[in-house]
């Protein structure tokens, strides 16, 4: 179950980064399925297509998102920056616990992510 949650989270993150590069239909299906939690059947009824058509569209879109990530690395870089910022925050908090200004700046950096 945890693996499914991780996969869905990754797909949602890829969608957040690369959504502007998708077609209108791809965006609609992704938003309905992953964002609004519609079932394949519900989307099929709304769009007057088969469940298979919805499924195929979503699968192609996930492959496209994965391809964009392989080429552009926006999600990977985001995760890397997030990890580095957490390490920085921890180190600043431990090493300079009496420097309120430095800790404040570090906390503000964390909010940017």
């Amino acid at each position: 179950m945890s693996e499914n949650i991780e996969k869905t989270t990754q797909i949602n993150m890829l969608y957040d980064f690369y959504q502007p590069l998708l077609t209108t239909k791809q965006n609609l299906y992704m938003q309905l399925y992953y964002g609004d939690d519609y079932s394949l059947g519900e989307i099929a009824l709304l769009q007057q297509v088969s469940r298979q058509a919805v499924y195929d569209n979503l699968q192609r879109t996930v492959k496209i998102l994965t391809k964009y990530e392989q080429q552009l690395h926006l999600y990977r870089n985001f995760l890397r920056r997030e990890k580095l910022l957490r390490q920085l925050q921890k180190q600043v908090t431990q090493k300079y616990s009496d420097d309120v200004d430095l800790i404040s700046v570090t906390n503000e950096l964390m909010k940017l992510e």
Side-chain angles (χ1 to χ4, degrees), residues 15 19 25-38 43 58:
Y15 178 67
Q19 177 267 333
K25 185 185 285 189
Q26 290 168 332
N27 274 311
L28 176 63
Y29 286 17
M30 290 293 291
Q31 180 58 45
L32 290 173
Y33 189 74
Y34 288 101
D36 298 336
D37 204 27
Y38 278 56
I43 298 170
L58 288 168

Side-chain angles (χ1 to χ4, degrees), residues 1-87:
M1 183 80 156
S2 177
E3 187 176 313
N4 287 339
I5 292 172
E6 284 182 33
K7 182 69 175 167
T8 299
T9 300
Q10 181 183 12
I11 290 169
N12 278 315
M13 291 297 291
L14 291 176
Y15 178 67
D16 286 346
F17 283 107
Y18 300 111
Q19 177 267 333
L21 302 175
L22 299 176
T23 67
T24 303
K25 185 185 285 189
Q26 290 168 332
N27 274 311
L28 176 63
Y29 286 17
M30 290 293 291
Q31 180 58 45
L32 290 173
Y33 189 74
Y34 288 101
D36 298 336
D37 204 27
Y38 278 56
S39 70
L40 295 176
E42 290 170 324
I43 298 170
L45 282 174
L46 282 173
Q47 296 300 303
Q48 299 179 343
V49 296
S50 69
R51 288 182 62 204
Q52 188 65 46
V54 174
Y55 176 81
D56 291 345
N57 183 290
L58 288 168
Q59 293 303 306
R60 278 192 305 275
T61 303
V62 169
K63 284 181 184 178
I64 289 167
L65 292 172
T66 302
K67 179 181 163 197
Y68 287 151
E69 176 58 19
Q70 289 170 348
Q71 294 172 346
L72 301 172
H73 310 291
L74 296 180
Y75 179 55
R76 181 183 73 181
N77 290 338
F78 169 80
L79 292 176
R80 185 171 171 262
R81 278 192 312 274
E82 188 177 69
K83 180 181 176 184
L84 290 171
L85 281 173
R86 280 195 310 271
Q87 290 173 342

